Structures are given as structure tokens and as C-alpha cells.
Amino acid sequence: MTKECNLRCRYCYQKRFSNDSLSVATAVETFHAAAESGVTSLALTFFGGEPLLRADAIFEIMAAARHLERSRGISVTAKISTNGILLDEGTLSRAQRWGIFVSLSIDGTEQAHNIGRVDRDGHGSYEAADRALRLLAAAGKPFAVYSVITPVNVKYLADSIAFLWNAGARIIINTVDYTADWTEEARDRLERQYHRTGRFYRRQLERGEFFHMDPFDSRIPAVTRPRELKRCQPGLSQVVVAPDGTIYGCLEFFYRRLMPVGTSSTWIDRRSVQHLVQTRRGLPVECGDCALEGRCNNRCACINLRGTDTPNRPPSSLCLCEQATLFAVDRTAEQLYRKRVPEFVLRNYSCSYHLLTGIERLLQGMEKNDEQAHTG
Amino acid sequence: MSKLIPVRGPYLPGYPRSLSPEEIKLLLKPSLTRRFSSSTLLAGSMLLSAATGCAQNTSVAAGPPAGQVPGQPGKPATNMSTLKNPKLAREVNLVTSEILDRRAGHGFDAFWSDYTSIIARRELEPNPPVKYPRIPICYGNSYNGLFDIDTAKQATRRLFALYGIDLERGVTIEGEGYEFEADGYNREHGVGFKLLMPEGAFGLMGGQEFEAQDPDDKLDREEMQRLASEISARRIQFFVADAARFPLMDGDQSTPLACYMASVVDYLNWIHGDRHIDLSDVLGKIPGGVPDRGLLELDGRFHPPLPGCDFETKEDLKHWTATKGEIALCDRWPGFQATSLQVTLQPGGEAVYTVPSGKKVLNAPSDDDQYSKKCSDATFGGKVFLADAEEAEVVVHLTLLGTEGRTWTFSKKLPRKVTVAAVEMRAEGPRLGEIKGLKISAESKGPIVLYADTFGVHPVKIEDVE
């Protein structure tokens, strides 16, 4: 939505900030081009910079997308990633009315958050993020929180997860900053912290609570349901629309203006996508020898570009952190399996679990809406 | 180019890749272990065993039946004990010697072995006692902290492996009322070990710091009781020792490591059915076993304490008075013995010792005078703690009180910004003749706490008088 942001997070992969913004017209043009090309479903993600700097434009775009949904029968889902500073009751209410799923970027406890998420003057932004978190929890609709783990804040990881849970977050996504300098010591700390976090995750599952937490809910299915696992496929399963209407395979390709795959007026160019796919083929020999190949993030072109300037070679930090993560995740999963925790067994082995969970959450949401309608 | 280190060899997660609907159903079917507590299940199994006439001896002190590998009842008897199996004994000796040799290489190595006695202490009631070294700590030797915990853990894994028990690291052990992370565990045999990790500062100057642990990782005393019950019920076998009880003196890793490894071997013999353990024996060698005052035997440097100044009984306090301060016995810094004198002085306060009636203390030459016959010295082995770490210089005075108002004071200036200061108050001067007592005072802005192992004067002649 914009390359401007009201924060200057120390680990942000966006290095240059500007007023470059995606116009409503370009977005709508892209929808129509996609629809003309036979696209039947769109999963929109509004990101930035800080997308809520352009809240009004987002809601206009959503209005156009919903119109397209009704007129052309294209299914549309949408989410937004925000740092929460501009999230107030009014904005949240509008977002929910348009069916936008909100993801809040918060790194956990005050110490964990304020180390990295700072404003232009270097001041921590925890207060605003915490306020947004409470607001989302109070609204009663599902939302996600995104946390970035760095060597500096990893020591707070387990405490942060417990903190976020206690504040009402039930979908927690952890992202490791692979561009940071992860030493062996920091890697060990990551494993220990994930191990502790795993215990917390396990306890919630044992109590039958709904708790989705990455990496557990992404890395365990990579073993138990590999076919259903959606791997990142730049240009094929996802694209980024730049403010000037150029379409790129993924974020880092957009930041680097690398290998565009289409435009907002023409949609995706197959040859360009093929070229991109071919460029991404091939992994280092070391990865071929690794027992964790297939479950590791080594194929993420964005991470690789950020870390090594090539889409096919992962940075050393990824290798260290992925091993730490996977070992900790597997230990947690093993304990859950041995304890025959129903939530774990069903979530990871039952074909109908996810369908039923979806229905369950839908019904719960409907009940909630009814309640609000009656009380409102 | 980035450095990638692949995980080589087979790696399989400990949970299945897929389950059929039938398996899921079976897995989620309430089982007895999920429905009933372990104590109920134990009682039930005993009743069932009695009813079918095949009850086993499950007395608390017993491990698995002799010759059986833990967790595998019914397996043919083995001969896995260093006392019965010479080949195993040789292998164990090779491994332990290698580990101890690796620790050698400087003058202090195994220095304390001959002065060490063994404290046999049961950490878990059903297990054999652990052999903790009692290394005499005095103010002349350096209590550096604790022994090399990593080496101890590696040694344990190697020793278990010699008995055919390969240990996996980082397994979380959970049972009724306990949960902790094992340092090594063998799932097949249900046997493992846990070295209780210390927390806080260790060493004379608090030089070795251990971080607080994750409560889920550690095994606390309450959990240990429950674990002991599980061991008694033969559901699991665990060797548990307390790392904080293996001190490192003067860099001598060998002595505590030898005691530790001997405990592991004892344990491994024990769980394989061998009950003949010589608890004083460390890897075939009986340690020195000097029970107290280890330095006494070293070179005769010991200064006998003044009467009532070894602070081992409350009676000793009768000879002391304090103004603007308090005196008490405590177990901190007791040197070679069990207790020491604790003196707390407010600014301007003093503590005074008076030679008890019936005793005459002469500051006179004696046969064990090793320094000089022309002068005398007084010793005070102790520690002084300053209440305020930021306080500027503090001066502690020790004054010997002679007859006819004669006194001899020696003073120690303590550096700034310290919380613990070693006080080695030894000074030389003219002899006083008869000593009637001594006085401790300090120049400080805040209170000080002083610990004394003993007070002594040298040379000294102590006589009984009517």
C-alpha cells in the first residue's frame, strides 16, 4: 500500500522509505486483469510500510474487491499486517465489516518488542502495540500476531509467547530474522527457547485450547501432511503489485526490482513466470545431504536474496536457526504424540479436523455476531 | 559464501508420518494409564500379581532383580558389574583413567585426593548413595567453584554406554507430579541420569555464576520424592546427583570427577543387581579420608586455636561479648569444621574475647615454632562482608589484650567497593607474655559482618591453671 512507515524497526527488510503508494485505480485494474485471465479466487494481503497510513484507500479497494466477488463470482479473502499504531476502534470495526483479517506485528513482552520495533527517534513502540493487541482481543474476532525473533530478543521468546497468549492472542506466527548474525550460542538459545515455548504450546493443546502457533503448526504438518503443505511459489501462488503497477514474484523481488512477472493491466506473463521458476531451481549440494531437507525454509527466495543476494543459496544463519527450530518442534511433537493428546493427533493426522475446526470457528463467529447484534 | 552444515545421517522425528483412521481411534481411546493415576495402577498391579501368585519383590531399597537390565524384566541374567565382570572393569578403568588423565597437566591436579573423605548421601531413596567428596576447605586454598559439569555429563554417557545403555539427550521425563529434562535417557531400558544443576554464585569470591533454570527443566526436591516413588515402583530408573556438592579446589578437577564417576559406576552396578558396593572406595582407590583439619597434616603450619576459639560449640560464645553488635555461630566459612563465629558490628561496635578461667595463654616459644623465636604472630582466618558495597575503605582491627594494659593491634584495610574481602591477618611483633583476650573492632560507616574460623596466636603455650 505504501513504502512509508511510522516505525523504523531495526531488523526491517525494507531499507528505503518513501511516499510511493499503490493507488486504488491500480489495485482495481489488477483485479479486473486477474478476473479476465480466469482467476477464480483472490487472497489479498495489504502490507507496507505501514498499510494503515492509507486506511481509506484500503477500504476503497476492499469495496471494489467485494463488488468483483458479487459480480464475477470470484472469492475474495483479505488480511492486513499492521504495527497497530493507527489501529483504533473505528478502523478495526471498518476492517471487520469488510472481512479483513488483522495481523498485528508485536514481538512479545515490552523488553522483547522495544529492542527492535522503534520509531524514527529510536523509541520503543510497545505501548501502541500493546494497546492494539488489547483492542483486537476485546473485539472477539480471530486475529494473528507476528513476532520477529532476533539474536537480541530471543532470550524473551518463551516469556513473550506466554505473554501474547495471556493477552488473548490465539494465532501466533514467529518469524526468524535470518539476516541477523546468529552465533552458535544464539542458535542454542533459540532451541532452548523454542523448547520452552513447545511446553507452553503442549499445555494448551492438552487443555484442548485452540492455539495455532508457527513454527509448530507449520513444521509438524510438513511431516504428517506434506502434500497439503503450501510452499512459497513466487509468481505462481503469490505476487506483489508495486505502486507503479508492475507485478513481482515476491517481496524481495519487488524491493530489488528483480524479474517482474506482469503488470496491473495485463496480469501475469507466463514466460516471465517460467523464467523466474527456472532461476529459482537448484539448491546447494549441502542441502541435498541434509536430513532436514524438505522441511526447511531453504527454498524461500526472499530469505535467500536477503541473506546471500542469490535466490538459491540460503544464508548460514538460516541453516543454524532452522535446525534449532526443527529439533525443538520435533521434540514437542513427539511428546504430544506420546501423551496421545487428542488435539495434536486430530490436528495433524485427521483429514476432517481442519474442515470441522473451520466450521466450528465459523459457527462461533456467527454466535458472537448474534450476541453483538442483540446487545448492540 | 554462506556456510551450511547439513544434518547428516538418518534423522526421523519421533512421531509417525501418518496414521490411519483406525489408528487414530485406537490412539485416542482412553487407556488405563490415562484414566488412572500411577499410584492406583501400582496398587492394582500388586493385587493382580498377588491373585495370580506371581508377585515380585518391590521393596523400596531394591532395584531390578539381579542381573536384569532395567526396564526389561524377564531378560536373561547379565553379568554387568565391574565387581563380577573383569572385562567390564577394565573398560570402565580405561574410560575413567582417560577422563582423569585429560584433566591432569598442572601441579595441582588431584592435589586434594589424599585429604578427601567421602560423604555418602542418597539423593533418591531407592538408589545407592552418591559419593560426594568432602574436600577440606580452608582459607589458604582456593575454592574456585564447581567441577567441570560438562565433562561429568560426557563421562556419564560414556560409562552408561559401556553397560550397553546409550543415552539420548534432552528428553523430557514426565510422570505423576514431576517433569524435568534428563541429561541422558534410554527409552528402551527406561533408565537415565540427571545432574542437578546449581543456581547462583559458587566459589570463595562467588566467581562461578549459574543462571536460574527453567522450572520445567529442573528436578526439584518435591519432584524427586515422586520420582523416587516411581523408581521404587520400578517404572523408571534414574541416577541423580547434585553438581553443587562437587567442589573444585585449587583447580583439582580429578578429585571431584573421580568421586562422581565412582558414583555412576556404583549406580550402574547397582541397577544390574550388584549390591556389594564399597561406599568408601573411589574407582578402586580409597581416598585419603582425613576427616577434619586436612591442612593439619600438611606441614605443621597449624596454629592451635585459643581456648574456646574454634567455634564448634555454643559454649564458645560464653567467652565473647559484643557492644553495638552481635555474635553468633553459623555455618558460613567454617574452614575445616562445621561452624564459624559470625560477628556483626555496627559503626563503633566491638566484640571482645576473654580467655576462660582455668586456662592460661602464654605468647611464648614452643616446639612447633616454625617462624622465629624472637617475635610472635597472630592469625585470624576469616572473611569480612561489608553491608554497603559502595562504602569507602573499611579498616578492621584485631587487638590482642595482654597483662598490665599491654595491647598489640594489627589492622587490615579493605579495598573499596567489595562485598567480600579475604582477611588474612597475620602480623609479627614483640611477644606479649600472657594473653588475656582479644578485641575485634572496625572503622566503617556502615555495619560489617565478619566470619572467623579460628583465632590463634603463635607461638603459644596454653596451660591449665587451678
Side-chain angles (χ1 to χ4, degrees):
Chain A
M1 292 304 302
T2 175
K3 288 176 92 177
E4 185 52 278
C5 188
N6 42 14
L7 288 183
R8 290 292 182 273
C9 301
R10 297 204 161 99
Y11 41 69
C12 187
Y13 43 74
Q14 186 181 318
K15 299 301 173 201
R16 283 192 296 269
F17 296 86
S18 70
N19 286 325
D20 265 6
S21 301
L22 179 76
S23 67
V24 176
T26 306
V28 174
E29 185 182 40
T30 313
F31 293 162
H32 285 287
E36 290 301 320
S37 303
V39 168
T40 54
S41 66
L42 284 172
L44 309 177
T45 303
F46 299 102
F47 72 94
E50 168 51 40
L52 282 187
L53 286 169
R54 299 199 59 237
D56 289 339
I58 289 172
F59 298 129
E60 270 188 66
I61 292 170
M62 270 315 292
R66 292 293 177 214
H67 176 74
L68 196 72
E69 193 175 38
R70 285 192 300 273
S71 61
R72 306 283 292 263
I74 294 174
S75 84
V76 175
T77 62
K79 69 174 180 181
I80 185 169
S81 295
T82 174
N83 59 32
I85 291 178
L86 298 172
L87 190 70
D88 54 22
E89 278 185 39
T91 312
L92 178 61
S93 165
R94 285 171 79 189
Q96 288 179 339
R97 220 176 305 137
W98 284 114
I100 304 175
F101 182 86
V102 180
S103 294
L104 176 71
S105 300
I106 179 170
D107 292 344
T109 61
E110 186 170 359
Q111 296 101 315
H113 186 90
N114 279 348
I115 288 178
R117 292 198 187 267
V118 294
D119 62 18
R120 287 190 180 93
D121 300 324
H123 298 133
S125 61
Y126 170 77
E127 213 173 296
D130 184 54
R131 184 192 48 75
L133 175 62
R134 310 285 162 180
L135 186 67
L136 285 164
K141 293 273 172 68
F143 66 96
V145 295
Y146 273 77
S147 302
V148 176
I149 306 165
T150 69
V152 189
N153 73 7
V154 64
K155 60 186 165 195
Y156 305 117
L157 174 60
D159 290 343
S160 289
I161 299 303
F163 163 80
L164 292 169
W165 167 273
N166 289 330
R170 293 296 179 267
I171 302 172
I172 301 175
I173 317 288
N174 280 338
T175 309
V176 175
D177 175 16
Y178 296 112
T179 58
D181 184 19
W182 285 89
T183 59
E184 290 276 350
E185 195 188 345
R187 173 242 180 260
D188 290 346
R189 194 169 289 148
L190 177 68
E191 186 171 347
R192 279 201 301 275
Q193 287 289 323
Y194 264 143
H195 181 49
R196 276 185 67 194
T197 307
R199 286 209 181 108
F200 185 80
Y201 172 79
R202 198 183 75 209
R203 288 209 186 99
Q204 306 315 323
L205 262 57
E206 281 170 359
R207 286 160 51 187
E209 298 273 6
F210 173 79
F211 185 22
H212 175 102
M213 196 197 152
D214 267 3
F216 300 99
D217 283 298
S218 58
R219 304 312 180 89
I220 299 169
V223 174
T224 58
R225 295 181 291 125
R227 282 182 193 170
E228 295 169 41
L229 196 70
K230 286 174 189 162
R231 274 192 174 276
C232 156
Q233 291 178 306
L236 292 173
S237 63
Q238 64 190 54
V239 291
V240 173
V241 184
D244 66 2
T246 310
I247 297 179
Y248 294 92
C250 197
L251 264 183
E252 198 59 28
F253 292 90
F254 157 58
Y255 289 129
R256 292 170 184 247
R257 305 271 176 213
L258 205 65
M259 289 186 262
V261 293
T263 67
S264 54
S265 57
T266 59
W267 189 233
I268 307 286
D269 173 46
R270 285 177 185 276
R271 280 189 185 175
S272 304
V273 173
Q274 262 177 359
H275 174 59
L276 179 63
V277 170
Q278 277 167 0
T279 312
R280 289 189 59 244
R281 278 206 182 121
L283 275 174
V285 182
E286 297 97 309
C287 292
D289 293 342
C290 183
L292 301 180
E293 162 57 5
R295 300 178 62 201
C296 163
N297 261 339
N298 59 351
R299 290 171 193 270
C300 176
C302 283
I303 295 172
N304 294 348
L305 275 169
R306 272 176 218 144
T308 63
D309 286 327
T310 129
N312 302 328
R313 186 161 187 93
S316 315
S317 57
L318 179 135
C319 194
L320 282 175
C321 296
E322 285 295 279
Q323 288 179 21
T325 305
L326 287 166
F327 291 152
V329 164
D330 283 351
R331 275 164 67 183
T332 301
E334 186 181 342
Q335 283 155 10
L336 282 160
Y337 173 69
R338 283 177 183 279
K339 292 190 88 170
R340 303 175 177 191
V341 176
E343 182 67 20
F344 168 80
V345 174
L346 295 172
R347 187 182 290 193
N348 291 289
Y349 297 103
S350 165
C351 305
S352 37
Y353 171 87
H354 294 276
L355 177 72
L356 292 170
T357 309
I359 294 169
E360 184 185 58
R361 294 197 70 74
L362 194 70
L363 292 173
Q364 282 169 354
M366 285 164 71
E367 278 171 21
K368 192 96 189 171
N369 283 343
D370 282 352
E371 274 172 33
Q372 282 170 352
H374 283 115
T375 53
Chain B
M1 186 178 280
S2 59
K3 188 179 170 193
L4 306 174
I5 305 163
V7 177
R8 295 193 190 278
Y11 170 82
L12 286 174
Y15 51 101
R17 287 189 181 280
S18 62
L19 291 173
S20 67
E22 288 72 29
E23 285 171 322
I24 293 174
K25 215 181 276 180
L26 201 65
L27 204 61
L28 298 182
K29 197 173 163 185
S31 70
L32 289 174
T33 50
R34 288 182 66 199
R35 171 67 182 80
F36 298 105
S37 70
S38 55
S39 47
T40 311
L41 288 167
L42 172 65
S45 66
M46 285 169 75
L47 276 173
L48 275 174
S49 301
T52 52
C54 55
Q56 285 188 339
N57 176 15
T58 54
S59 64
V60 166
Q68 279 186 3
V69 173
Q72 288 189 306
K75 203 181 172 184
T78 62
N79 195 26
M80 295 298 278
S81 160
T82 50
L83 302 177
K84 291 176 183 168
N85 183 334
K87 184 172 172 283
L88 178 67
R90 274 197 303 278
E91 288 171 350
V92 166
N93 275 336
L94 270 175
V95 167
T96 53
S97 303
E98 184 202 315
I99 291 164
L100 294 177
D101 284 351
R102 206 188 296 152
R103 294 275 128 206
H106 58 82
F108 288 121
D109 209 58
F111 178 73
W112 284 106
S113 180
D114 288 342
Y115 302 96
T116 297
S117 53
I118 296 295
I119 300 169
R121 178 186 155 98
R122 279 181 201 274
E123 293 296 352
L124 295 169
E125 195 50 45
N127 282 358
V130 178
K131 296 170 199 274
Y132 292 110
R134 189 186 194 289
I135 306 176
I137 306 174
C138 77
Y139 302 108
N141 68 327
S142 170
Y143 171 33
N144 303 132
L146 302 181
F147 76 154
D148 185 342
I149 292 171
D150 287 341
T151 299
K153 287 181 181 176
Q154 284 166 22
T156 316
R157 289 186 195 102
R158 288 184 67 183
L159 290 169
F160 268 69
L162 291 180
Y163 285 73
I165 304 169
D166 289 325
L167 298 177
E168 192 181 332
R169 291 183 213 195
V171 178
T172 299
I173 307 297
E174 283 183 77
E176 193 70 35
Y178 61 86
E179 178 179 352
F180 63 96
E181 186 175 311
D183 292 311
Y185 186 64
N186 182 297
R187 294 173 199 275
E188 186 190 351
H189 299 313
V191 62
F193 83 99
K194 172 80 177 169
L195 197 52
L196 302 176
M197 286 298 286
E199 289 181 5
F202 288 82
L204 275 185
M205 300 293 283
Q208 202 179 10
E209 280 273 348
F210 292 91
E211 280 180 16
Q213 300 154 60
D214 180 353
D216 288 339
D217 285 343
K218 72 179 181 187
L219 177 63
D220 60 36
R221 293 283 161 190
E222 208 172 293
E223 289 175 312
M224 281 167 71
Q225 285 184 359
R226 298 195 185 111
L227 178 65
S229 311
E230 297 277 287
I231 292 171
S232 298
R234 300 151 68 88
R235 290 200 195 91
I236 197 165
Q237 296 284 358
F238 247 87
F239 171 73
V240 174
D242 186 354
R245 291 179 184 273
F246 290 97
L248 176 65
M249 301 291 180
D250 288 320
D252 172 11
Q253 291 281 5
S254 290
T255 302
L257 267 174
C259 291
Y260 175 77
M261 289 194 292
S263 308
V264 176
V265 174
D266 272 358
Y267 177 77
L268 287 163
N269 287 345
W270 181 277
I271 60 169
H272 286 85
D274 197 332
R275 296 291 183 277
H276 308 289
I277 294 168
D278 180 355
L279 290 172
S280 64
D281 197 18
V282 177
L283 302 174
K285 185 189 170 204
I286 295 170
V290 180
D292 284 315
R293 298 187 180 277
L295 268 178
L296 220 163
E297 306 297 321
L298 287 178
D299 57 8
R301 286 185 304 176
F302 178 68
H303 294 219
L306 295 170
C309 280
D310 66 354
F311 311 120
E312 288 305 299
T313 65
K314 282 191 175 174
E315 289 293 303
D316 293 347
L317 295 182
K318 286 182 182 172
H319 313 306
W320 286 80
T321 57
T323 51
K324 293 178 82 176
E326 287 174 9
I327 51 169
L329 285 188
C330 77
D331 59 1
R332 294 200 69 187
W333 314 105
F336 297 119
Q337 302 198 42
T339 50
S340 66
L341 178 73
Q342 178 182 314
V343 182
T344 309
L345 291 180
Q346 301 299 325
E350 60 180 35
V352 175
Y353 158 77
T354 307
V355 173
S357 57
K359 295 285 180 186
K360 190 173 186 181
V361 177
L362 292 169
N363 182 206
S366 67
D367 293 340
D368 66 345
D369 182 2
Q370 58 168 326
Y371 294 108
S372 163
K373 293 188 188 305
K374 290 179 185 172
C375 64
S376 64
D377 67 10
T379 57
F380 152 52
K383 296 280 160 196
V384 176
F385 289 70
L386 309 182
D388 179 2
E390 296 299 314
E391 187 172 355
E393 282 177 354
V394 168
V395 182
V396 178
H397 304 294
L398 182 61
T399 304
L400 289 176
L401 308 170
T403 52
E404 296 166 3
R406 280 185 293 177
T407 59
W408 180 34
T409 301
F410 53 102
S411 307
K412 178 89 176 181
K413 203 181 274 183
L414 303 180
R416 290 184 64 178
K417 293 185 180 180
V418 291
T419 51
V420 183
V423 178
E424 188 191 328
M425 293 180 105
R426 171 170 287 158
E428 296 179 350
R431 292 189 188 128
L432 285 176
E434 187 178 352
I435 293 171
K436 305 299 279 183
L438 59 85
K439 183 175 76 179
I440 305 165
S441 57
E443 294 168 33
S444 69
K445 288 177 188 162
I448 66 161
V449 184
L450 178 146
Y451 298 89
D453 171 30
T454 58
F455 284 105
V457 176
H458 187 86
V460 72
K461 191 174 177 188
I462 299 169
E463 295 175 349
D464 289 325
V465 291
E466 288 293 317

